[in-house]
Amino acid sequence: MGKQTTYKNVRPISDSSIQITFYYPSKPHRQREPLELIPTPSNLEKAFVHLAAINVAIKNGTFDYAVTFPNSPRARKYQNNRLLKTWLKNWLHVQDHLKQSTYNNYRNCIDGQIDGTKLGSMRMAVITWADIKRWALSKKISSKTRRNYMSVLRTALDDAVEDGEIEFNPMMGKKLKQASVEVKSTRDDVDPFSWEERTAISNAADDQFKWFVQFGFWTGMRISELIALRWDRIDWIHNTARVDQVLTQASKKYELPKTKHSIRDVELHGPALEALIKMKPYSFLEDGIIFRNPFDGLPWNGDSPVRKRWTRILRKAGVRYRYPYQMRHTYASTALMEGEDIGFICGQLGHEDEAVTFKHYNRYIKANRTKRGSKLEAAWAAHN
């Protein structure tokens, strides 16, 4: 027989086991672990390949001692020495209860904003509030986006405490004082369209999209709700539209709205009802999704193609670009400026309570309260 091949840091230690040697968390902390393998040439090679994978995982920060060697006396010692980015990726992997869009947002935060940063490469057990604060304030992003990132991290660390990974959440009881960083406007900023702009958009739109836009301006529904609305959700007797499903670019399938308050009956007034009647020749007989992509007559498969068509129409109309979401803001702000009741608008939008509506639109609110929908329709009639 030929001479047996030797592998660095791999050696037999008995007739039934092989020992591998590696450094963790880093040099000079040398670790030795046995593998229950008969030291045959093929098993020695397998042990070497396994060791190579361990070294790569250590370098990338994805090595989990307790998972790789659950029976080792050192597993518990290094339980809290996992890198934050390692634990977050494993944590996200088991969050199968999340909606696809929420899951994608979590993944974007972890992969795009934490992985590759100093905070992500820190051991979970030593992270302090100061470390998290430095990470958060280093991002040149809007306050809302920063709060979203912090919310993901706070939720994950709460679970880490519950799972016994760390003793306490360094974010507990802490609130970030936002830095005064100049950022670009986001789609959530209220920037409504004027009556003249709405007329120009309507004139520039054609086919089914004209009625899609008119319905959006007159209901305040989100784009994800508009493209998921079905004919069998329309109550022609009471003039309402039942909102109980959404479609996002991320989900690729119809889902329940994120919150129970988003499931609602939206009251339909003049122009909204007109838009539905105009849509009947296109999709009513199919008794399915109401608003379709004019290019193929099929239901929209997400908000991305809606935005593309919307962009072309605004360019054609000569109207300054805003996100399609501004149709929702336009509906709410205009209604409140015309004196509609804030409780009515809160229900139309699917907000949790009036405080949310007030927070977004307080500068548009008038104190007088009259018959719901009347002033908005009157303003429309006067304009035309």
Side-chain angles (χ1 to χ4, degrees):
M1 294 180 62
K3 185 178 180 181
Q4 181 170 293
T5 303
T6 59
Y7 298 95
K8 184 178 180 181
N9 294 327
V10 176
R11 69 183 184 90
I13 55 174
S14 73
D15 292 338
S16 60
S17 61
I18 301 172
Q19 184 185 78
I20 59 175
T21 303
F22 56 94
Y23 294 93
Y24 183 81
S26 60
K27 289 184 178 182
H29 304 284
R30 184 169 57 187
Q31 313 297 341
R32 293 190 177 96
E33 291 293 345
L35 303 177
E36 297 301 320
L37 292 172
I38 298 173
T40 63
S42 62
N43 282 342
L44 287 168
E45 182 179 1
K46 288 180 182 178
F48 182 73
V49 172
H50 182 52
L51 175 60
I54 289 174
N55 286 327
V56 170
I58 293 173
K59 181 179 179 181
N60 294 337
T62 58
F63 177 66
D64 189 321
Y65 212 115
V67 171
T68 308
F69 301 106
N71 298 322
S72 170
R74 286 166 290 280
R76 187 170 184 82
K77 174 183 178 181
Y78 290 114
Q79 181 178 0
N80 289 339
N81 278 338
R82 297 172 62 180
L83 302 185
L84 174 64
K85 61 183 180 182
T86 307
W87 189 85
L88 286 175
K89 290 180 179 181
N90 291 332
W91 170 80
L92 181 61
H93 184 68
V94 298
Q95 303 302 306
D96 51 8
H97 63 283
L98 298 175
K99 291 185 177 297
Q100 188 61 48
S101 57
T102 303
Y103 183 92
N104 290 347
N105 290 337
Y106 279 28
R107 183 181 60 192
N108 291 339
C109 173
I110 294 170
D111 291 347
Q113 305 298 328
I114 297 178
D115 189 12
T117 66
K118 181 178 179 181
L119 180 70
S121 298
M122 293 183 66
R123 307 288 168 184
M124 288 182 65
V126 301
I127 292 176
T128 65
W129 168 244
D131 298 318
I132 295 173
K133 185 166 65 173
R134 278 193 294 270
W135 163 78
L137 295 179
S138 69
K139 307 292 180 182
K140 290 181 171 55
I141 51 179
S142 69
S143 297
K144 182 177 185 300
T145 302
R146 185 179 291 109
R147 286 196 299 271
N148 289 341
Y149 291 160
M150 295 286 280
S151 176
V152 174
L153 186 56
R154 190 185 302 274
T155 300
L157 292 178
D158 279 342
D159 285 355
V161 174
E162 186 175 331
D163 294 345
E165 296 285 348
I166 54 178
E167 293 184 5
F168 69 95
N169 185 347
M171 300 180 71
M172 181 180 294
K174 303 294 185 181
K175 187 175 180 180
L176 188 67
K177 293 181 179 179
Q178 301 293 340
S180 56
V181 178
E182 183 178 350
V183 297
K184 294 182 179 179
S185 175
T186 71
R187 71 185 67 195
D188 294 319
D189 295 332
V190 180
D191 187 6
F193 293 94
S194 67
W195 287 111
E196 291 73 21
E197 287 177 318
R198 276 173 271 184
T199 299
I201 294 170
S202 179
N203 292 338
D206 53 14
D207 300 324
Q208 304 174 47
F209 203 71
K210 176 184 181 72
W211 311 117
F212 174 84
V213 169
Q214 181 166 309
F215 194 83
F217 272 129
W218 277 89
T219 60
M221 289 170 58
R222 302 173 178 91
I223 301 300
S224 61
E225 297 169 343
L226 289 170
I227 62 179
L229 185 62
R230 297 175 55 89
W231 281 112
D232 58 10
R233 299 304 194 267
I234 304 301
D235 184 338
W236 295 101
I237 296 177
H238 300 98
N239 292 339
T240 61
R242 180 69 171 175
V243 177
D244 59 4
Q245 67 177 14
V246 297
L247 177 67
T248 65
Q249 199 67 38
S251 66
K252 300 296 185 183
K253 62 181 180 180
Y254 299 105
E255 298 179 324
L256 289 172
K258 285 185 178 181
T259 68
K260 64 179 182 180
H261 304 284
S262 294
I263 300 176
R264 64 198 188 279
D265 291 313
V266 176
E267 292 189 20
L268 306 177
H269 300 108
L273 289 169
E274 179 193 19
L276 287 181
I277 293 171
K278 294 292 187 180
M279 279 300 302
K280 280 190 173 184
Y282 297 103
S283 59
F284 186 72
L285 293 180
E286 297 184 26
D287 194 30
I289 299 298
I290 297 176
F291 298 105
R292 310 293 182 99
N293 188 332
F295 286 125
D296 55 21
L298 298 175
W300 298 97
N301 58 11
D303 58 353
S304 180
V306 174
R307 289 198 305 272
K308 290 179 181 178
R309 191 167 183 83
W310 171 264
T311 301
R312 289 195 296 269
I313 289 174
L314 261 63
R315 189 181 299 121
K316 179 180 177 181
V319 173
R320 175 173 61 84
Y321 183 80
R322 279 92 104 193
Y323 291 102
Y325 198 88
Q326 290 297 337
M327 287 193 291
R328 177 175 169 85
H329 289 324
T330 299
Y331 169 79
S333 59
T334 306
L336 292 169
M337 281 193 295
E338 295 300 331
E340 293 294 346
D341 183 86
I342 187 173
F344 165 58
I345 299 304
C346 173
Q348 290 285 90
L349 299 178
H351 284 165
E352 181 178 358
D353 52 44
E354 293 182 17
V356 177
T357 311
F358 185 84
K359 175 183 176 181
H360 287 292
Y361 306 108
N362 66 83
R363 63 183 182 275
Y364 300 101
I365 296 173
K366 278 192 173 182
N368 57 319
R369 303 186 175 199
T370 58
K371 183 180 177 182
R372 298 187 302 185
S374 61
K375 291 194 173 184
L376 188 56
E377 286 200 51
W380 174 78
H383 175 74
N384 286 276

